[in-house]
Amino acid sequence: MKILIFWDIYWRVWRKAFLKEFKNLKQKYEADFCIACVDNLSSGRWAIEKHAVELEKAWIDLMTSWDHFFDNISKIRDYLNLENPKMIRPANYYDTEFYKIPGVGYKVLEKDGKKVLFVHLLSGNCMRDMVYNPFLKLQEIIDLHKDENIKNIIVDFHREFTAEIYWMAFCFDWKISFVYWTHTHLQTNDDMILDNGTWVIWDVWMSWSQFSVIWATLESVQKRFFSGLNKWKIEQSLDERYVVNGIFVETDDNTWKTISLEKIRINSKL
Protein backbone atom coordinates (compact mmCIF):
# COMPACT_ATOMS: atom_id res chain seq x y z
CA MET A 1 0.00 0.00 0.00
CA LYS A 2 1.30 3.45 -0.98
CA ILE A 3 0.40 6.52 1.09
CA LEU A 4 1.25 10.21 0.69
CA ILE A 5 1.06 12.34 3.85
CA PHE A 6 1.29 16.14 4.05
CA TRP A 7 1.32 18.22 7.18
CA ASP A 8 -0.39 21.54 7.80
CA ILE A 9 -1.16 23.35 4.57
CA TYR A 10 -1.00 26.90 5.83
CA TRP A 11 -3.25 29.74 4.64
CA ARG A 12 -4.33 30.89 1.20
CA VAL A 13 -0.96 31.55 -0.48
CA TRP A 14 0.38 28.13 0.43
CA ARG A 15 -2.90 26.35 -0.34
CA LYS A 16 -2.22 27.50 -3.87
CA ALA A 17 1.41 26.35 -3.65
CA PHE A 18 0.43 22.96 -2.26
CA LEU A 19 -2.19 22.30 -4.93
CA LYS A 20 0.33 23.25 -7.60
CA GLU A 21 2.86 20.66 -6.32
CA PHE A 22 0.32 18.03 -5.30
CA LYS A 23 -0.88 17.58 -8.87
CA ASN A 24 2.59 16.36 -9.85
CA LEU A 25 3.26 14.40 -6.67
CA LYS A 26 0.13 12.24 -6.89
CA GLN A 27 1.10 11.30 -10.45
CA LYS A 28 4.71 10.58 -9.52
CA TYR A 29 4.01 8.32 -6.54
CA GLU A 30 0.75 6.70 -7.72
CA ALA A 31 -0.41 6.57 -4.09
CA ASP A 32 -3.40 4.53 -2.97
CA PHE A 33 -4.27 7.15 -0.37
CA CYS A 34 -3.37 10.82 0.18
CA ILE A 35 -3.64 12.43 3.63
CA ALA A 36 -3.31 16.13 4.54
CA CYS A 37 -3.60 18.24 7.67
CA VAL A 38 -5.93 21.25 7.54
CA ASP A 39 -5.28 22.67 11.00
CA ASN A 40 -4.35 26.11 9.62
CA LEU A 41 -5.85 25.84 6.15
CA SER A 42 -8.20 28.85 6.33
CA SER A 43 -6.70 32.20 7.40
CA GLY A 44 -4.27 30.44 9.74
CA ARG A 45 -7.12 28.61 11.47
CA TRP A 46 -8.88 25.31 10.98
CA ALA A 47 -10.47 24.62 7.60
CA ILE A 48 -13.80 26.01 6.55
CA GLU A 49 -16.05 23.89 4.36
CA LYS A 50 -15.22 25.71 1.12
CA HIS A 51 -11.49 24.97 1.46
CA ALA A 52 -12.06 21.39 2.64
CA VAL A 53 -14.11 20.70 -0.48
CA GLU A 54 -11.33 22.24 -2.59
CA LEU A 55 -8.83 19.69 -1.24
CA GLU A 56 -11.34 16.87 -1.58
CA LYS A 57 -11.78 17.69 -5.27
CA ALA A 58 -8.00 17.66 -5.65
CA TRP A 59 -8.06 13.98 -4.53
CA ILE A 60 -7.18 14.20 -0.87
CA ASP A 61 -8.67 11.07 0.72
CA LEU A 62 -8.56 12.26 4.33
CA MET A 63 -7.93 15.50 6.24
CA THR A 64 -6.84 15.78 9.89
CA SER A 65 -7.11 18.69 12.30
CA TRP A 66 -5.17 18.86 15.65
CA ASP A 67 -5.38 21.51 18.36
CA HIS A 68 -7.04 24.25 16.25
CA PHE A 69 -10.10 22.08 15.77
CA PHE A 70 -12.60 24.55 17.25
CA ASP A 71 -11.25 27.75 15.64
CA ASN A 72 -13.74 27.66 12.75
CA ILE A 73 -16.16 25.07 14.08
CA SER A 74 -19.28 27.02 12.99
CA LYS A 75 -18.02 27.02 9.39
CA ILE A 76 -17.14 23.31 9.22
CA ARG A 77 -19.71 21.62 11.48
CA ASP A 78 -22.13 20.77 8.66
CA TYR A 79 -19.33 19.17 6.65
CA LEU A 80 -18.20 17.11 9.64
CA ASN A 81 -21.74 15.86 10.17
CA LEU A 82 -22.11 14.57 6.61
CA GLU A 83 -22.55 10.82 6.25
CA ASN A 84 -19.03 10.29 4.94
CA PRO A 85 -16.86 13.42 5.29
CA LYS A 86 -13.22 13.19 4.25
CA MET A 87 -12.11 14.72 7.52
CA ILE A 88 -11.42 13.53 11.06
CA ARG A 89 -10.63 15.28 14.35
CA PRO A 90 -8.66 13.96 17.36
CA ALA A 91 -10.25 10.72 18.52
CA ASN A 92 -9.58 11.33 22.21
CA TYR A 93 -11.76 14.38 22.77
CA TYR A 94 -14.34 13.76 25.48
CA ASP A 95 -17.94 13.26 24.35
CA THR A 96 -20.34 14.14 27.16
CA GLU A 97 -24.00 14.92 27.64
CA PHE A 98 -23.04 18.59 27.91
CA TYR A 99 -21.35 18.83 24.52
CA LYS A 100 -21.32 16.49 21.56
CA ILE A 101 -18.04 16.81 19.63
CA PRO A 102 -18.85 16.86 15.89
CA GLY A 103 -17.14 14.45 13.53
CA VAL A 104 -15.14 11.27 14.20
CA GLY A 105 -11.53 10.66 15.24
CA TYR A 106 -10.61 7.67 13.11
CA LYS A 107 -11.68 6.15 9.83
CA VAL A 108 -11.27 3.05 7.71
CA LEU A 109 -10.31 3.99 4.16
CA GLU A 110 -10.83 1.47 1.36
CA LYS A 111 -9.81 1.62 -2.29
CA ASP A 112 -9.42 -1.18 -4.84
CA GLY A 113 -9.80 -3.78 -2.11
CA LYS A 114 -7.11 -2.21 0.09
CA LYS A 115 -7.98 -1.02 3.60
CA VAL A 116 -6.20 1.22 6.08
CA LEU A 117 -7.31 2.32 9.54
CA PHE A 118 -6.27 5.92 10.07
CA VAL A 119 -6.30 7.21 13.68
CA HIS A 120 -5.86 10.81 14.78
CA LEU A 121 -4.80 11.57 18.39
CA LEU A 122 -3.99 14.67 20.45
CA SER A 123 -1.72 14.95 23.47
CA GLY A 124 -3.06 16.42 26.70
CA ASN A 125 0.27 18.06 27.55
CA CYS A 126 0.80 21.75 26.73
CA MET A 127 -2.23 21.86 24.43
CA ARG A 128 -5.27 24.07 24.77
CA ASP A 129 -7.81 21.32 25.56
CA MET A 130 -8.12 18.51 28.09
CA VAL A 131 -8.35 15.15 26.32
CA TYR A 132 -8.66 11.47 27.13
CA ASN A 133 -5.44 9.44 27.44
CA PRO A 134 -4.23 9.01 23.80
CA PHE A 135 -2.42 5.72 24.50
CA LEU A 136 -5.50 4.10 25.99
CA LYS A 137 -7.64 5.48 23.19
CA LEU A 138 -5.43 4.01 20.48
CA GLN A 139 -5.58 0.58 22.11
CA GLU A 140 -9.37 0.83 22.37
CA ILE A 141 -9.67 1.66 18.66
CA ILE A 142 -7.36 -1.20 17.67
CA ASP A 143 -9.40 -3.62 19.78
CA LEU A 144 -12.63 -2.33 18.26
CA HIS A 145 -11.43 -3.24 14.76
CA LYS A 146 -9.48 -6.41 15.54
CA ASP A 147 -12.00 -8.71 13.83
CA GLU A 148 -12.00 -6.74 10.56
CA ASN A 149 -8.63 -8.03 9.37
CA ILE A 150 -7.24 -4.53 8.80
CA LYS A 151 -3.49 -4.92 8.79
CA ASN A 152 -2.47 -1.39 7.86
CA ILE A 153 -2.91 1.06 10.75
CA ILE A 154 -1.55 4.62 10.46
CA VAL A 155 -1.46 7.03 13.43
CA ASP A 156 -1.16 10.83 13.44
CA PHE A 157 -0.20 11.94 16.97
CA HIS A 158 -0.15 15.70 17.65
CA ARG A 159 1.99 16.43 20.70
CA GLU A 160 4.73 18.51 22.38
CA PHE A 161 6.94 16.15 24.42
CA THR A 162 9.47 13.72 22.96
CA ALA A 163 8.81 11.28 25.81
CA GLU A 164 5.29 10.78 24.46
CA ILE A 165 6.74 10.11 21.03
CA TYR A 166 9.05 7.36 22.20
CA TRP A 167 6.41 5.67 24.31
CA MET A 168 3.78 5.67 21.58
CA ALA A 169 6.26 4.15 19.14
CA PHE A 170 7.62 1.39 21.32
CA CYS A 171 4.32 0.60 23.04
CA PHE A 172 2.55 -0.07 19.73
CA ASP A 173 5.44 -1.58 17.79
CA TRP A 174 4.01 -4.64 15.96
CA LYS A 175 0.43 -3.36 16.41
CA ILE A 176 0.57 -0.54 13.85
CA SER A 177 2.28 0.00 10.50
CA PHE A 178 3.37 3.59 10.82
CA VAL A 179 3.15 6.48 13.28
CA TYR A 180 4.14 10.07 12.71
CA TRP A 181 4.15 13.10 14.97
CA THR A 182 3.42 16.73 14.38
CA HIS A 183 3.44 20.18 16.03
CA THR A 184 7.15 21.04 16.16
CA HIS A 185 7.01 22.74 12.73
CA LEU A 186 10.17 21.07 11.42
CA GLN A 187 10.72 17.85 9.53
CA THR A 188 13.07 15.62 11.53
CA ASN A 189 15.77 13.26 10.34
CA ASP A 190 15.37 10.51 12.94
CA ASP A 191 12.94 8.17 11.23
CA MET A 192 13.55 4.49 11.92
CA ILE A 193 12.08 1.00 11.79
CA LEU A 194 11.51 -0.54 15.22
CA ASP A 195 12.30 -4.17 16.04
CA ASN A 196 8.84 -5.47 15.16
CA GLY A 197 8.33 -3.56 11.94
CA THR A 198 6.63 -0.28 12.87
CA TRP A 199 8.17 2.74 11.16
CA VAL A 200 8.23 6.09 12.93
CA ILE A 201 9.16 9.65 12.02
CA TRP A 202 9.27 12.41 14.61
CA ASP A 203 7.83 15.18 12.46
CA VAL A 204 6.67 15.77 8.90
CA TRP A 205 6.83 19.59 8.64
CA MET A 206 4.56 22.06 6.87
CA SER A 207 3.60 23.62 3.53
CA TRP A 208 4.15 27.36 3.96
CA SER A 209 6.46 30.34 3.46
CA GLN A 210 10.06 29.19 3.30
CA PHE A 211 11.38 32.44 4.78
CA SER A 212 9.18 33.12 7.80
CA VAL A 213 8.99 32.51 11.55
CA ILE A 214 6.09 30.04 11.78
CA TRP A 215 4.29 31.90 8.93
CA ALA A 216 5.05 35.42 10.29
CA THR A 217 7.26 37.97 8.55
CA LEU A 218 10.75 38.31 9.95
CA GLU A 219 10.22 42.04 10.47
CA SER A 220 7.02 41.66 12.48
CA VAL A 221 8.52 39.26 15.03
CA GLN A 222 11.72 41.24 15.50
CA LYS A 223 10.27 43.56 18.17
CA ARG A 224 8.87 40.61 20.15
CA PHE A 225 12.18 38.79 20.24
CA PHE A 226 14.25 41.84 21.16
CA SER A 227 11.82 43.39 23.66
CA GLY A 228 10.41 40.25 25.28
CA LEU A 229 6.90 41.68 24.91
CA ASN A 230 4.09 40.08 22.92
CA LYS A 231 2.10 43.26 22.30
CA TRP A 232 3.55 43.76 18.82
CA LYS A 233 1.31 42.74 15.93
CA ILE A 234 2.34 39.66 13.97
CA GLU A 235 2.00 39.95 10.20
CA GLN A 236 1.51 37.04 7.81
CA SER A 237 4.31 36.47 5.35
CA LEU A 238 3.11 36.68 1.76
CA ASP A 239 6.49 35.80 0.29
CA GLU A 240 5.86 33.68 -2.81
CA ARG A 241 8.87 31.48 -2.04
CA TYR A 242 7.44 28.38 -0.43
CA VAL A 243 8.26 24.92 0.86
CA VAL A 244 5.98 21.87 0.55
CA ASN A 245 6.83 18.99 2.86
CA GLY A 246 5.48 15.49 3.19
CA ILE A 247 6.32 11.80 3.34
CA PHE A 248 5.68 8.85 1.07
CA VAL A 249 5.13 5.55 2.88
CA GLU A 250 4.83 2.07 1.40
CA THR A 251 3.61 -0.88 3.48
CA ASP A 252 3.52 -4.60 2.73
CA ASP A 253 -0.07 -5.75 2.13
CA ASN A 254 0.62 -9.17 3.66
CA THR A 255 2.73 -8.37 6.72
CA TRP A 256 1.39 -4.78 7.33
CA LYS A 257 4.98 -3.68 7.95
CA THR A 258 6.40 -0.51 6.42
CA ILE A 259 8.94 -1.35 3.73
CA SER A 260 9.98 2.15 2.63
CA LEU A 261 9.69 5.80 3.57
CA GLU A 262 10.71 8.82 1.52
CA LYS A 263 10.79 12.37 2.87
CA ILE A 264 9.50 15.01 0.45
CA ARG A 265 10.67 18.61 0.41
CA ILE A 266 10.03 20.97 -2.48
CA ASN A 267 11.28 24.56 -2.56
CA SER A 268 9.84 26.77 -5.26
CA LYS A 269 8.09 30.06 -6.01
CA LEU A 270 4.59 30.92 -7.11
Side-chain angles (χ1 to χ4, degrees):
M1 182 178 294
K2 299 177 180 179
I3 304 172
L4 273 171
I5 299 173
F6 301 94
W7 178 44
D8 215 353
I9 306 161
Y10 209 101
W11 224 318
R12 63 183 182 273
V13 176
W14 307 301
R15 282 200 312 269
K16 183 178 179 180
F18 170 78
L19 291 171
K20 171 188 171 185
E21 300 296 343
F22 179 63
K23 180 179 180 180
N24 298 324
L25 290 169
K26 68 179 183 181
Q27 293 176 349
K28 175 182 177 180
Y29 289 99
E30 299 180 337
D32 297 302
F33 300 102
C34 297
I35 314 297
C37 170
V38 296
D39 202 37
N40 293 289
L41 189 70
S42 303
S43 300
R45 297 183 176 184
W46 204 47
I48 63 174
E49 183 170 351
K50 173 184 176 181
H51 298 149
V53 170
E54 182 181 22
L55 289 193
E56 184 176 329
K57 289 181 178 179
W59 191 59
I60 292 292
D61 295 287
L62 192 66
M63 293 168 266
T64 63
S65 53
W66 307 336
D67 61 319
H68 290 183
F69 173 68
F70 293 101
D71 287 356
N72 277 328
I73 194 67
S74 63
K75 298 179 181 179
I76 196 67
R77 186 188 300 272
D78 290 343
Y79 182 82
L80 288 169
N81 289 330
L82 293 174
E83 183 176 349
N84 189 31
K86 292 188 176 182
M87 184 180 292
I88 56 175
R89 43 80 171 172
N92 54 324
Y93 274 124
Y94 287 104
D95 263 332
T96 72
E97 60 181 299
F98 302 103
Y99 186 74
K100 171 65 177 175
I101 306 292
V104 297
Y106 58 92
K107 194 170 186 178
V108 177
L109 302 178
E110 184 173 4
K111 186 183 293 182
D112 299 328
K114 298 180 179 180
K115 288 185 178 182
V116 58
L117 171 59
F118 198 93
V119 183
H120 184 19
L121 297 166
L122 178 67
S123 169
N125 293 308
C126 294
M127 297 292 179
R128 62 179 71 185
D129 300 317
M130 295 177 61
V131 291
Y132 180 66
N133 186 305
F135 311 102
L136 294 177
K137 189 63 179 183
L138 179 55
Q139 185 61 61
E140 291 173 7
I141 294 170
I142 291 173
D143 290 343
L144 185 65
H145 292 273
K146 64 182 180 181
D147 296 329
E148 298 179 28
N149 195 33
I150 300 174
K151 295 181 178 180
N152 285 288
I153 301 176
I154 311 294
V155 179
D156 173 345
F157 185 27
H158 195 59
R159 86 301 169 256
E160 285 281 2
F161 299 147
T162 55
E164 295 177 295
I165 297 173
Y166 277 91
W167 174 242
M168 178 73 79
F170 290 107
C171 179
F172 291 93
D173 186 20
W174 73 266
K175 293 183 179 181
I176 59 179
S177 306
F178 180 75
V179 57
Y180 66 97
W181 291 276
T182 51
H183 198 61
T184 43
H185 302 285
L186 288 172
Q187 189 179 75
T188 54
N189 195 36
D190 45 10
D191 56 297
M192 63 179 177
I193 299 177
L194 303 184
D195 289 343
N196 294 304
T198 294
W199 199 313
V200 298
I201 188 170
W202 267 242
D203 215 301
V204 178
W205 208 14
M206 306 180 71
S207 297
W208 61 357
S209 172
Q210 182 180 4
F211 297 100
S212 69
V213 179
I214 310 185
W215 67 260
T217 64
L218 306 180
E219 295 78 12
S220 70
V221 299
Q222 179 176 330
K223 291 181 179 180
R224 288 195 176 197
F225 279 114
F226 280 111
S227 70
L229 303 175
N230 64 5
K231 69 174 185 175
W232 310 106
K233 182 181 179 181
I234 295 295
E235 298 176 357
Q236 178 197 0
S237 171
L238 296 176
D239 193 324
E240 292 189 342
R241 294 172 294 178
Y242 63 81
V243 58
V244 171
N245 291 278
I247 50 176
F248 173 66
V249 184
E250 187 171 4
T251 64
D252 187 288
D253 292 333
N254 295 314
T255 66
W256 64 261
K257 295 181 180 181
T258 299
I259 54 178
S260 68
L261 179 144
E262 179 183 342
K263 284 172 277 191
I264 298 167
R265 177 171 178 171
I266 299 171
N267 299 98
S268 190
K269 182 179 181 180
L270 285 170

Short mmCIF file of all heavy atoms in Angstrom, two decimals, residues 56 72 81 95 170 217:
data_model
loop_
_atom_site.label_atom_id
_atom_site.label_comp_id
_atom_site.label_asym_id
_atom_site.label_seq_id
_atom_site.Cartn_x
_atom_site.Cartn_y
_atom_site.Cartn_z
N GLU A 56 -10.68 18.13 -1.24
CA GLU A 56 -11.34 16.87 -1.58
C GLU A 56 -11.41 16.70 -3.09
O GLU A 56 -11.15 15.61 -3.62
CB GLU A 56 -12.75 16.86 -0.99
CG GLU A 56 -13.50 15.57 -1.19
CD GLU A 56 -14.86 15.56 -0.50
OE1 GLU A 56 -14.99 16.21 0.55
OE2 GLU A 56 -15.77 14.91 -1.04
N ASN A 72 -12.71 27.32 13.75
CA ASN A 72 -13.74 27.66 12.75
C ASN A 72 -14.88 26.66 12.79
O ASN A 72 -15.47 26.35 11.75
CB ASN A 72 -13.12 27.69 11.34
CG ASN A 72 -12.44 29.00 11.01
OD1 ASN A 72 -12.86 30.05 11.47
ND2 ASN A 72 -11.37 28.95 10.23
N ASN A 81 -20.57 16.68 9.88
CA ASN A 81 -21.74 15.86 10.17
C ASN A 81 -22.34 15.19 8.94
O ASN A 81 -23.40 14.56 9.03
CB ASN A 81 -22.81 16.72 10.86
CG ASN A 81 -22.42 17.08 12.29
OD1 ASN A 81 -21.71 16.32 12.96
ND2 ASN A 81 -22.85 18.23 12.76
N ASP A 95 -16.54 13.07 24.74
CA ASP A 95 -17.94 13.26 24.35
C ASP A 95 -18.79 13.14 25.61
O ASP A 95 -18.77 12.09 26.28
CB ASP A 95 -18.38 12.19 23.34
CG ASP A 95 -18.30 12.70 21.91
OD1 ASP A 95 -18.44 13.92 21.73
OD2 ASP A 95 -18.11 11.89 21.00
N PHE A 170 7.20 2.69 20.81
CA PHE A 170 7.62 1.39 21.32
C PHE A 170 6.46 0.60 21.91
O PHE A 170 6.44 -0.63 21.84
CB PHE A 170 8.73 1.57 22.36
CG PHE A 170 10.02 2.03 21.76
CD1 PHE A 170 10.47 3.33 21.93
CD2 PHE A 170 10.79 1.17 20.99
CE1 PHE A 170 11.66 3.77 21.36
CE2 PHE A 170 11.98 1.59 20.41
CZ PHE A 170 12.41 2.90 20.60
N THR A 217 6.13 37.29 9.17
CA THR A 217 7.26 37.97 8.55
C THR A 217 8.38 38.14 9.56
O THR A 217 8.14 38.29 10.76
CB THR A 217 6.85 39.35 8.02
OG1 THR A 217 6.46 40.18 9.12
CG2 THR A 217 5.70 39.24 7.03
#
